[in-house]
Amino acid sequence: MTNVIGKSATRVEDKRLLTGQGKYIDDLGTKVSTGHAAILRSSHPHAYIKSIDKEAALKMPGVKGIITGEDIRGLVKPFSVGVMAPVEYYPLAIDKVRYVGEPMAIIVAKDRYAAEDALEKIKVVYEALPPLVGIERALEEDAPILHENVGSNIANHREFNYGDVDKAFEEADRIVKHKFNFPKYTATPVETYGVVAEYDPAHDQYTVQANFHGPFVIHSIMAQALQIPSNKLRIIVPKDIGGSYGIKAGIFPYIVLCGLASKLIGCPVKWIEDRQEHLSSSASGTDRVTYIEAAVENSGKVTGLRMKMIDNVGAYIRAPEPASLYRNHANSTGAYDIQNLHIDAYAIMTNKSPTGLIRGYGGQELYFPLERIMQEVAKELNMDHADVIRKNLVKEAQFPYKTASGGTYDSGNYEKSFELALATGKYEEFRKKQEEARKNGKILGVGLACIVEPSGSNMGYITVALTPEERAGSLPKSGAAEAATVSMDPLGSVNVRISTTPSGQGHETVAAQIVSEVLGIPREQINVVAELDTSTSAWSIASGSYSSRFASLGSSAIYYAAHKVRAKLFKIAADQLNVKEADLELEKGSIFVKNNPDKKFSVKRAAGLAHWHPTSLPDGMEPGIYETYYYTADVAQAPNEQDMINSSVTYGFVADMVTVEIDPDTAEVKIIDYFTVHDAGKLLNPLIVDGQIMGGLAHGLGGALYEELAYDKNGQFLTGSFMDYLCPTAPEIPNVTIKHTESPSPLTPLGAKGLGEGNTMSAPVAVANAVSDALAHLDIMIDDLPLSPTRIWKLMGEAKEKVTTP
């Protein structure tokens, strides 16, 4: 069974999913006594709560109880956050609402219909306050203050200097700078949030089923909020989660809320989020303003960068924010060899919904200004954009490459991948085609983007939000641990238990491939258990499905756990065959002597001895075959006193080329072709890899052309349904060509790196660069997204007006 890893095996999950056999949160059975919840949400962006009258609602048929913020005061602590600002965030608003959609009360009734009807009977008296929507407005001295006890709207502020930035700018031939805006947008999984919570008064324990995917450091945050020991909060994650893209990490306040409702009302509580709730109130990426300056030589070499990044985390800073600012800290200079870097980072609060994990997390916000400024450098120097990229890419001989901010890029050949993207997209041919098209009144453009894709977050990166002095006052944080358990029953069949809580990525399939190769048995003989139960599973605070961590960390834990089983089997066989373990080999379910294949011992028999005849085992060996391995990487260290941090374990590379045509009459952007080249080290399953790339690309194209969680100047939410929040659907997905190069990571046992978020990060800026290139004749600056026809039409009109105005 060798060479199973790296093959395009079909997914074992698909049989149950495609035949309706999946078990999602809403499919789980509930007790007859279960109450169904609906949540009353604020209609005001910023207001004091003067009163909530729930008497009429309580009299409605089927209503079991209603919980408001006043009811939980004293029963729950505010959720802890990773910053020093004393922001108090609860699962229900208590004295004040700070965004449209903020939960104010939860109604539990015999069914959802009764709960929804009762919502309409609750009367709320508000005292409206001035709303705050603009990012930079939040920093002004006279801006409305959201949290009076904080005293400002700044949740976090850090400044970093690496190298000699001032010298780089003093010696620069040119300085290219601009301000860029990245929009607030979200992910739209088919399955929304879901929670089934039950409080057990006999044991003072909460048992919660939820489609929460981690990171499980938030388990501790929830337990602290509930003021209980962590082993009194049991979270069970079903095997099937209908997509997440990071968003479902934001379910944790609702887990606490439903748990409290179960305790106070006295019945199990089930809540399934509807789509309007999801868009208005679940989670999203941050909208960011970035001021970026590049110190440039006339050759095209960028020698220094200054970036002022202002992230809007919404009405509250909640875990794991302000991580969006710092997840990409080690790769702040992207794929480029730039050793002089200054970062001025802010996380600010406004009257928008709180933010959190999302596919690409912080990457799209980072690469939009970085890759746009590289194109602007090319324009300033009258160089081809591809040549500027070539001039600045990290070279193959520089790996492992140390970034200015402390990252270690483990392996790569960026130049090879970039040239493959250009060759695949026929870059030079398109340039000629572009010139001919312009003569005929057509508007064509080509966009390039090169990004580094981090994977396997080092949990220590979030502490960069604190100064070295502040960090010294608490325990250091580092690592990216993941756990897996491989067991073999008396008949030689294998169970694999993983804690990476997959949400459609195919972890079960790849886990079976890895164990199949290590143990030399067919993958059909291997059962992978993907449910996570915090009371029975092996897990760590880093466990979960985020940061593309399965390929680099989850697969490594599985690999080493399988090797522990293999080692035990070899010890048993060596003892029975009276040979040394080094003389044995394993293949097709048999352990045999290398120079005497007829002398063999079956895996099934070895497993049987471990269970049925433990006294026959070698001295000191424990019965049974049940092995757990916790894997982490030594490179994931805590930040040092100079604020240098290797914020991820491995770093892949993505090179994109996209061609577009803009309709001169409607200003609609049509993507002609999209070419993307990925280096994710050793590919564990190319079929699954390409599916993940397509998903990430669709998400990135949404941010480029369609998606924005929009608010008006008064803080009212404008995009509460798919009529207003536009997403790309199948007809909008362009022709896509995917290519791969492989630079195996020396840090992981299989050489694998994470993959699946890359195009979410690269597509927005690749498309923006293509539109900028298409409109170069009008000297139009693309510094905002999404690139809707309305936005482009306006830019084209303004540019033409400048040309015609005397």
Side-chain angles (χ1 to χ4, degrees):
M1 304 305 300
T2 58
N3 299 320
V4 180
I5 299 171
K7 299 298 183 184
S8 291
T10 55
R11 301 197 328 165
V12 298
E13 298 92 334
D14 287 349
K15 183 175 181 179
R16 71 170 185 272
L17 297 179
L18 296 176
T19 57
Q21 305 295 311
K23 289 291 184 183
Y24 300 94
I25 187 67
D26 203 25
D27 297 321
L28 304 181
T30 56
K31 295 181 178 180
V32 175
S33 59
T34 300
H36 296 262
I39 295 172
L40 176 70
R41 297 179 182 274
S42 172
S43 58
H44 284 249
H46 196 195
Y48 287 119
I49 302 170
K50 303 304 290 183
S51 65
I52 299 178
D53 184 352
K54 57 185 180 181
E55 292 307 312
L58 281 168
K59 295 175 183 177
M60 292 286 288
V63 172
K64 294 173 179 283
I66 301 174
I67 308 298
T68 67
E70 279 298 324
D71 296 320
I72 67 170
R73 189 193 295 268
L75 296 177
V76 61
K77 288 184 176 180
F79 295 109
S80 59
V81 294
V83 298
M84 301 304 290
V87 178
E88 294 184 353
Y89 173 52
Y90 295 91
L92 289 175
I94 296 178
D95 298 313
K96 189 180 183 183
V97 292
R98 295 176 173 89
Y99 66 97
V100 171
E102 181 170 5
M104 301 173 63
I106 181 170
I107 296 182
V108 179
K110 65 176 183 178
D111 53 43
R112 181 65 177 260
Y113 303 102
E116 293 279 359
D117 288 344
L119 280 182
E120 299 178 5
K121 299 295 183 180
I122 297 178
K123 297 178 181 179
V124 182
V125 177
Y126 299 92
E127 180 184 326
L129 294 167
L132 174 63
V133 178
I135 292 178
E136 293 181 281
R137 169 69 176 139
L139 295 173
E140 295 175 3
E141 289 187 7
D142 63 341
I145 300 297
L146 271 66
H147 299 268
E148 290 83 355
N149 61 318
V150 176
S152 78
N153 296 310
I154 300 174
N156 180 246
H157 177 217
R158 289 296 323 275
E159 197 165 350
F160 307 91
N161 280 288
Y162 304 107
D164 194 338
V165 180
D166 290 341
K167 182 180 179 182
F169 276 83
E170 288 169 4
E171 296 180 352
D173 294 319
R174 309 192 186 208
I175 296 173
V176 181
K177 59 184 178 180
H178 196 70
K179 170 188 169 184
F180 294 95
N181 304 295
F182 195 85
K184 178 183 179 75
Y185 82 110
T186 188
T188 52
V190 173
E191 182 195 42
T192 55
Y193 290 177
V195 179
V196 181
E198 181 175 7
Y199 175 71
D200 176 6
H203 300 93
D204 190 27
Q205 178 172 318
Y206 298 86
T207 298
V208 179
Q209 298 177 94
N211 50 15
F212 170 68
H213 63 64
F216 276 80
V217 65
I218 297 177
H219 178 269
S220 298
I221 292 172
M222 289 186 279
Q224 289 170 359
L226 288 166
Q227 304 182 79
I228 56 171
S230 55
N231 64 352
K232 295 294 185 180
L233 175 60
R234 181 184 185 185
I235 297 179
I236 302 170
V237 181
K239 71 164 66 175
D240 295 319
I241 296 178
S244 169
Y245 322 111
I247 291 297
K248 288 190 174 121
I251 195 175
F252 73 91
Y254 297 101
I255 292 176
V256 172
L257 177 59
C258 291
L260 285 170
S262 175
K263 179 178 181 177
L264 295 174
I265 295 173
C267 67
V269 172
K270 179 176 181 178
W271 171 71
I272 302 295
E273 181 187 53
D274 66 33
R275 184 61 63 181
Q276 187 172 18
E277 290 179 296
H278 187 80
L279 288 169
S280 70
S281 313
S282 60
S284 72
T286 59
D287 40 332
R288 179 182 293 180
V289 170
T290 302
Y291 290 86
I292 186 169
E293 299 182 36
V296 185
E297 296 177 348
N298 285 332
S299 64
K301 174 65 177 172
V302 177
T303 59
L305 285 175
R306 288 181 177 139
M307 291 188 285
K308 180 179 180 180
M309 304 183 297
I310 313 171
D311 259 17
N312 178 12
V313 298
Y316 301 89
I317 187 165
R318 67 181 184 187
E321 295 290 18
S324 183
L325 275 172
Y326 304 119
R327 184 220 173 182
N328 293 276
H329 196 74
N331 52 288
S332 294
T333 52
Y336 305 117
D337 180 21
I338 304 171
Q339 286 297 311
N340 303 298
L341 173 67
H342 173 261
I343 297 174
D344 192 11
Y346 289 83
I348 60 93
M349 296 174 287
T350 69
N351 294 124
K352 293 183 179 181
S353 61
T355 61
L357 289 180
I358 189 171
R359 196 173 199 164
Y361 197 40
Q364 46 271 68
E365 293 96 325
L366 168 69
Y367 291 123
F368 182 62
L370 180 60
E371 292 299 291
R372 285 290 298 116
I373 208 69
M374 297 302 283
Q375 189 189 58
E376 290 303 307
V377 167
K379 288 182 181 179
E380 175 72 18
L381 298 173
N382 197 27
M383 291 177 64
D384 190 281
H385 187 192
D387 290 334
V388 171
I389 291 175
R390 290 183 177 110
K391 186 72 176 178
N392 289 282
L393 283 176
V394 175
K395 305 301 185 284
E396 182 184 12
Q398 293 177 275
F399 288 96
Y401 176 76
K402 300 288 186 180
T403 72
S405 48
T408 301
Y409 293 173
D410 44 323
S411 63
N413 187 336
Y414 296 174
E415 295 169 296
K416 177 182 176 181
S417 298
F418 179 56
E419 296 301 334
L420 178 59
L422 296 180
T424 305
K426 298 180 180 179
Y427 180 72
E428 297 298 337
E429 289 184 27
F430 186 84
R431 283 295 189 198
K432 295 175 183 177
K433 179 180 177 181
Q434 182 183 33
E435 288 301 317
E436 288 299 315
R438 281 178 179 166
K439 296 176 184 177
N440 298 319
K442 290 188 174 183
I443 308 174
L444 302 185
V446 57
L448 305 174
C450 289
I451 69 150
V452 169
E453 181 174 6
S455 60
S457 289
N458 169 5
M459 296 299 286
Y461 82 84
I462 187 58
T463 63
V464 177
L466 306 177
T467 65
E469 294 75 22
E470 290 167 341
R471 291 197 297 268
S474 60
L475 289 173
K477 295 178 176 62
S478 70
E482 189 52 89
T485 300
V486 178
S487 60
M488 187 172 281
D489 67 23
L491 297 180
S493 295
V494 172
N495 282 302
V496 182
R497 186 144 199 155
I498 60 176
S499 53
T500 50
T501 57
S503 55
Q505 301 96 328
H507 293 184
E508 293 176 51
T509 300
V510 178
Q513 287 180 267
I514 294 169
V515 175
S516 173
E517 181 156 320
V518 173
L519 298 184
I521 58 177
R523 69 182 182 120
E524 291 76 17
Q525 199 173 320
I526 300 164
N527 176 53
V528 180
V529 181
E531 301 104 307
L532 188 147
D533 184 331
T534 57
S535 292
T536 61
S537 302
W539 58 281
S540 81
I541 61 165
S543 289
S545 179
Y546 61 98
S547 185
S548 298
R549 63 194 308 275
F550 177 80
S552 54
L553 302 172
S555 70
S556 298
I558 295 163
Y559 177 82
Y560 284 123
H563 268 278
K564 289 178 74 174
V565 170
R566 179 187 172 105
K568 190 165 189 176
L569 293 172
F570 270 48
K571 285 182 183 296
I572 294 171
D575 184 67
Q576 293 291 318
L577 296 172
N578 198 26
V579 297
K580 296 178 180 179
E581 293 170 45
D583 296 331
L584 297 176
E585 189 53 86
L586 171 62
E587 189 174 351
K588 294 182 178 179
S590 291
I591 303 170
F592 57 89
V593 179
K594 293 177 183 177
N595 57 6
N596 186 6
D598 293 330
K599 191 175 183 179
K600 58 186 178 181
F601 201 81
S602 72
V603 167
K604 181 179 178 180
R605 187 177 175 192
L609 285 177
H611 287 278
W612 293 102
H613 193 19
T615 59
S616 69
L617 299 176
D619 291 343
M621 179 178 284
E622 296 177 351
I625 300 178
Y626 191 95
E627 302 293 340
T628 296
Y629 193 93
Y630 281 85
Y631 175 80
T632 193
D634 291 340
V635 296
Q637 298 290 325
N640 65 18
E641 292 182 358
Q642 289 73 47
D643 286 317
M644 300 184 79
I645 178 75
N646 187 34
S647 48
S648 293
V649 174
T650 60
Y651 299 86
F653 177 74
V654 182
D656 283 358
M657 173 181 157
V658 57
T659 55
V660 303
E661 180 175 0
I662 300 175
D663 189 311
D665 297 320
T666 66
E668 181 182 7
V669 176
K670 177 186 177 183
I671 297 177
I672 303 169
D673 283 297
Y674 204 109
F675 307 94
T676 184
V677 175
H678 290 250
D679 182 351
K682 173 68 176 178
L683 301 183
L684 301 178
N685 184 321
L687 183 65
I688 290 177
V689 160
D690 285 354
Q692 288 297 299
I693 289 172
M694 287 297 295
L697 178 57
H699 195 190
L701 293 177
L705 298 173
Y706 306 102
E707 299 183 42
E708 182 179 12
L709 293 171
Y711 294 76
D712 67 16
K713 64 181 181 179
N714 296 316
Q716 286 297 324
F717 185 56
L718 302 177
T719 48
S721 75
F722 285 144
M723 290 291 290
D724 301 299
Y725 187 84
L726 302 181
C727 300
T729 59
E732 284 77 53
I733 304 303
N735 297 319
V736 179
T737 302
I738 301 170
K739 296 284 187 179
H740 297 280
T741 58
E742 289 192 6
S743 300
S745 173
L747 303 178
T748 59
L750 296 171
K753 306 180 184 186
L755 178 146
E757 297 182 88
N759 290 117
T760 306
M761 306 177 191
S762 64
V765 69
V767 173
N769 280 343
V771 171
S772 175
D773 180 70
L775 300 176
H777 62 293
L778 295 175
D779 195 28
I780 288 175
M781 167 59 73
I782 301 298
D783 52 20
D784 211 343
L785 296 175
L787 294 172
S788 64
T790 302
R791 176 165 281 148
I792 294 177
W793 178 264
K794 182 179 178 181
L795 290 172
M796 292 172 66
E798 291 172 350
K800 291 174 182 176
E801 188 175 321
K802 286 181 182 178
V803 172
T804 57
T805 301

